[in-house]
Amino acid sequence: MNSKGPPRRARSGHANLTAHGEPWVWLTASSLALAIAMIVGLLSFIAWRGLATFWPVPLELVMLTDGRRLLGEVTEQEPVEPATAAAVGHPARRLIRTGDFDSSGNHYEWIDDPTITEIARPEWATVVERLDAGRLHGIPRRLLHGEQVVAEGAAEVWKAFGREHPGARGRLLRGLRIDKHERGELQRQLRAARLAVVQAGLDAGAGSERQAEAEQREQKLAGEIGRREQALDEETAKLRGENAGWAVEFETASGGSVPVPLDGIVRAWQPNRLSLAGNLGVYFSRWGEFLGDDPREANSAGGVFPAIWGTVTMTLIMALFVAPFGVLAALYLREYASRGPITTAVRVAINNLAGVPSIVYGAFGLGFFCYVVGAGIDDVFFKASLVADGQPTFGTGGLLWASLTLALLTLPVVIVATEEALSAVPNSMREGSYACGAGKWQTIRRIVLPRALPGIMTGLILAMARGAGEVAPLMLVGVKKLALELPVDGTFPFVHPEREFMHLAYLIYDVGFQSPNSQAARPMVFTITFLLVAIIALLNVAAIWLRSRLRRRFVSQHF
Amino acid sequence: MQSLERPSQGIGSEAVGRPTEPPPDRLIAVAAGLEVEAEVHDGVLKEPPVLEIDRFNLWYGAKQALHRIAMPIPLNKVTALVGPSGCGKSTLLRSVNRLNDLVQSVRITGDMRLNGDSIYDPRMDVIELRKRMGMVFQKPNPFPMSIYENVVYALRIDGETSRGVLDEVCEMSLRGAALWDEVKDRLQDSALGLSGGQQQRLCIARAIAAEPEVLLLDEPCSALDPIATGKVEDLIQELRGRYSVLIVTHNMQQASRSSDYTAFMYLGRLIEYGATPDIFTKPVLRETEAYVTGRFG
């Protein structure tokens, strides 16, 4: 405007750069990119390894210079650099899952590449998943029924196997179900009657009339149960009898012949002949077993259904405890408590609780819930069990105590998130409600809580995600390596809060680091991890969906 | 060149510090902390009062915000409270339904009487008291629920469950707030989806749903655009004669248009109080004239 004014100071390019903020955009964007790369990298690694576990891999017949023959899946290959090879002392090599534990005593074997003379893929090579003793790789030779040879030759045997196996497997499973459920139910009734006798003795004194009555009842029940068990015995004996004698004989790579009982075969497939549809069939059948069945062979095979069930029930029960407690505590802290040093101290203490190592909560849960509260409950209500066979009911780890321990652990998360959500409710809404003549509680219930609900849900989501992935405290308060009796099932009273349970996160630790056959268990670790992440994601998605529905209802688009 | 300094509605003391014209003496006296006698016209005192404010003082901590306010609020008339920002209009309004109780540092002396009942009597149940009044705030504050539930909120908290009663009150109130025709087809929609002006009229409907003895309006148009403001002002005109309204406003035109009586407040004191035409055309005090004509404040 005015050319005669003082000369304008030339502005440096540096100032311009800072003012435009380019470097900050790059800095912030790259931090986010790094975070996303790590998350996506980790998740896709887990997903890839986890999802690939059950895909059938071709069986290779490897012939070695020393005349040995191996039939197996190549699970790993190590192309060692010549320089390092010299230093390590071996050339390129590969890890083969031999599936010939019976004769070699190994599940896996490292083979140096130069010792290999020939590699073939025999058409009829079969992977046999056995109920126990792990996998077997071999070529079917004969199907036997007692002394009688039903089929001979790989193709014939395979056809006959497809015909006979489902029936045999079905009979086996029915037998197992009878053992587990029906016989288990009888045992439970018998134990209840026996405990009633002890209880009567405790209540009315040994040798009293009541105890005598209870004893009579027990004897009557024992007689009846004996008869029913006999019936069950007959049924299972019949099932076993039908399965007896049926066996498939496989020829292993080393030339030996291994007979496998027909009902001892979980599943068999011939990876070298499978079409895409066949591959998919095997793949989904293995996923089905994984998701729906009980574990076998020290958790390294079979399914993880009890662990899925345990994880989900525990997380939901935990949420059931932590949500009301956390919300009520935060309500008092934010809405009722007068601001002052004590409130501040309480708030700081809650925030600090979030930093306490989780194993400390585990120790607290064991010491307080199990040994004090649980023992107290046992003493009053379940003394008979304690006296009769020294078996605590609530005085040991269990679903209830694990859920409570994790509820304590996640309480700070819920309280802090709820407080944030409450303080985000505009004061004008509270005042509007008071001006209508509403009391404090009416205002909280009708205005503040609905408006804060999405924020509270966020806290609960965080708490559930944290609780579902926790391992350390659970090891002390009720998670077991193997617990096939589900904490929530079809037997009265349907929820068994005192039962020990399995948990996916603990299963990862157990299968990955405590398994005798760790090499075979490693793919399972990835699959279980994938499953756990997927379950947590599923729980979160459900909660987020709920939250967005609430948000649409309660949060304004205007102002 | 044009002066950039225009009389703005700034903080009261600032306006005194930099007046465009020498300030009237009374306001200097008030700013110096002296007590001045309020000029209350006789016409106000002849009206039957619904609310009597009796030598009311209020402190926020150590700072006194209201000084010996004494004024009757006439029954079934619209009374406007005007004055520069920070003069205590809103504080006075919030003292009527004791919303200031929620502020921890507040202390009061003096009393108010609603139809003869002492508001600050320790035996007065503050919840029962607020049920006898309705209040509308600066910013529309509809509750996070449906339009219907917003209107019948006061009845709901009283435990009214009869559908017939609720429906009737809802319609009456929405008609009373000139909103019925706009929302009658979407009563179950969220109130938060309404426009700002509709939200404010909804808040008025909510306030009149419980048949209040006094309706308190705290700058009800300050967050609204001119068209919405016009609608709310028309509504206030309609409420005239049916409800006793006490309205705080910054807007002189609004006060002169829609009120029967006007009280001018300054730094926590009542300066002049009389019939609106008198206050705007022939005020007793030249301080009042200076303010209502926009020469300061």
Side-chain angles (χ1 to χ4, degrees), chain A residues 304 306-308 310-312 314-315 406 465-475 479-481 501-514 525 528-533 535-536:
Chain A
V304 293
I308 298 174
T311 308
V312 172
M314 190 212 67
T315 309
L406 284 194
R466 167 139 198 230
E470 200 57 70
V471 190
L474 295 180
M475 290 161 71
V479 162
K480 280 282 147 341
K481 182 184 168 70
F501 61 106
M502 292 178 76
H503 189 277
L504 283 172
Y506 178 73
L507 203 61
I508 293 172
Y509 165 74
D510 177 61
V511 173
F513 302 98
Q514 309 280 299
V525 174
I528 298 169
T529 310
F530 175 75
L531 188 66
L532 179 60
V533 173
I535 285 178
I536 293 174

Side-chain angles (χ1 to χ4, degrees), chain B residues 5-257:
Chain B
E5 279 198 358
R6 278 175 43 221
S8 63
Q9 299 198 342
I11 308 263
S13 57
E14 206 180 299
V16 170
R18 282 187 294 137
T20 49
E21 179 171 303
D25 309 339
R26 220 177 256 249
L27 303 188
I28 293 182
V30 165
L34 299 174
E35 293 301 327
V36 294
E37 202 56 41
E39 186 66 42
V40 181
H41 298 192
D42 288 343
V44 180
L45 300 173
K46 284 185 194 141
E47 290 275 357
V50 62
L51 178 74
E52 292 162 277
I53 301 170
D54 185 9
R55 282 159 293 164
F56 191 78
N57 292 288
L58 181 144
W59 289 263
Y60 288 119
K63 186 176 169 294
Q64 188 166 7
L66 294 176
H67 296 258
R68 282 178 69 82
I69 307 286
M71 58 192 287
I73 309 296
L75 182 68
N76 289 344
K77 302 285 180 195
V78 178
T79 306
L81 291 174
V82 301
S85 290
C87 72
K89 312 179 295 281
S90 293
T91 303
L92 183 62
L93 198 72
R94 293 162 59 88
S95 300
V96 175
N97 67 354
R98 289 181 59 177
L99 269 189
N100 281 331
D101 289 13
L102 304 173
V103 183
Q104 274 184 7
S105 61
V106 160
R107 199 159 51 79
I108 63 115
T109 65
D111 198 4
M112 302 183 181
R113 281 181 300 277
L114 177 66
N115 284 327
D117 301 331
S118 165
I119 288 176
Y120 281 90
D121 188 324
R123 283 163 302 177
M124 169 60 83
D125 182 349
V126 63
I127 289 176
E128 288 305 317
L129 173 75
R130 287 183 189 140
K131 285 179 180 167
R132 296 166 62 181
M133 309 181 183
M135 184 165 181
V136 177
F137 296 78
Q138 266 188 38
K139 248 181 77 173
N141 58 349
F143 300 141
M145 40 178 91
S146 69
I147 294 170
Y148 184 91
E149 288 297 325
N150 259 280
V151 177
V152 301
Y153 183 75
L155 282 80
R156 281 267 192 233
I157 54 179
D158 285 347
E160 179 64 63
T161 50
S162 154
R163 196 79 204 172
V165 173
L166 293 175
D167 285 347
E168 191 189 328
V169 167
C170 179
E171 181 171 348
M172 292 270 289
S173 308
L174 284 172
R175 281 191 193 281
L179 192 61
W180 174 252
D181 291 331
E182 290 166 61
V183 300
K184 64 179 180 219
D185 299 325
R186 45 173 175 147
L187 290 175
Q188 297 309 324
D189 288 6
S190 168
L192 302 168
L194 297 175
S195 74
Q198 289 174 325
Q199 288 189 353
Q200 195 62 303
R201 278 179 285 148
L202 177 67
C203 292
I204 293 174
R206 186 172 75 199
I208 61 178
E211 297 288 326
E213 294 167 38
V214 179
L215 195 55
L216 308 170
L217 308 180
D218 187 0
E219 297 187 36
C221 301
S222 65
L224 304 182
D225 62 64
I227 292 175
T229 301
K231 286 190 178 167
V232 172
E233 272 184 27
D234 291 347
L235 174 57
I236 295 171
Q237 291 296 330
E238 281 183 29
L239 298 178
R240 213 169 180 168
R242 285 194 286 146
Y243 292 94
S244 309
V245 179
L246 185 56
I247 177 171
V248 167
T249 180
H250 256 334
N251 185 328
M252 290 306 124
Q253 284 80 31
Q254 192 174 73
S256 68
R257 272 197 308 266

Side-chain angles (χ1 to χ4, degrees), chain A residues 63-87:
Chain A
M63 277 159 265
L64 304 179
T65 43
D66 59 4
R68 284 201 305 141
R69 290 147 52 94
L70 299 172
L71 182 63
E73 299 172 352
V74 177
T75 51
E76 243 175 272
Q77 266 178 309
E78 265 186 17
V80 187
E81 300 288 323
T84 29

